[in-house]
Amino acid sequence: MTLEVPAHSAHHAGKPASRIRQKNEETIIQAAEDEFARHGFKGTSMNTIALNAGLPKANLHYYFTNKLGLYIAVLSNILELWDSTFNNLTAEDDPAQALTKYIRAKMEFSRRHPQASRIFAMEIISGGECLNEYFSQDYRAWFAGRAGVFQAWIDAGKMDPVDPVHLIFLLWGSTQHYADFSTQICRVTGRTRLTKQDFEEASDQLTRIILKGCGLTPVH
């Protein structure tokens, strides 16, 4: 599942991106992530994003005609990363290996894209109006399909009978916590920031806890 950027919000939809265009879009989205994460959707202006991107405002509007389109593009990026990893789960997979791979991938996204994760969290907390299209009937069917994979593992005796829906919520919440609440984690642990090693150690611990809760042996 991905979130569609409105056709009126991004120019040249469907055309191959040139190297310059791709670079500029990445620069704009990174600057937008920083602003949306600090000030939210309402508190962010296209002027400030343009300044932080080092581009004239006219150039910003060339790629994204309005703030909503840019905001949805930021959300779409992180949702596509999250969902593409989950798409690959199948009933034929070994659950211990599949869950280990998924947890590590989600933790790496939290390390590399913390701002985008926080923007998503703020959007959901504020009601998720900009994600109404994303959370459609198609999304619910997609989610049911993911839960169905877990149920197939349970039915085949590959893992303990846990509720697949709550297991998915646990996977999402625990891995995204390290992006959304990194400030809290740092203050509790006395760190100034979370390092790559911190994320690797957290991944090991989450994997061990979650797999054992599912009656699975952690993969080394």
Side-chain angles (χ1 to χ4, degrees), residues 16-48:
S18 69
R19 186 174 300 175
I20 293 175
R21 178 189 165 202
Q22 185 176 9
K23 181 180 178 181
N24 284 344
E25 286 183 349
E26 289 173 355
T27 299
I28 291 167
I29 287 175
Q30 182 59 61
E33 281 186 7
D34 293 341
E35 287 303 306
F36 288 136
R38 288 193 186 99
H39 307 294
F41 177 73
K42 292 182 179 178
T44 296
S45 72
M46 293 289 270
N47 278 332
T48 306

Side-chain angles (χ1 to χ4, degrees), residues 204-217:
D204 290 342
Q205 291 300 318
L206 285 182
T207 300
R208 183 173 181 272
I209 293 166
I210 292 173
L211 264 61
K212 280 190 171 292
C214 295
L216 301 169
T217 301

Side-chain angles (χ1 to χ4, degrees), residues 181-194 198:
F181 294 96
S182 61
T183 298
Q184 180 189 42
I185 294 171
C186 286
R187 291 187 178 182
V188 168
T189 59
R191 288 169 168 74
T192 56
R193 66 180 182 87
L194 296 180
D198 289 328

Side-chain angles (χ1 to χ4, degrees), residues 166-182:
H166 290 291
L167 176 55
I168 292 171
F169 292 160
L170 174 62
L171 289 166
W172 287 350
S174 61
T175 53
Q176 288 157 228
H177 179 86
Y178 288 85
D180 302 341
F181 294 96
S182 61

Side-chain angles (χ1 to χ4, degrees), residues 3-10 64 69-70 72-73 76 133:
L3 181 63
E4 292 293 329
V5 177
H8 64 277
S9 299
F64 301 95
L70 181 49
I72 291 177
S76 181
E133 178 186 338

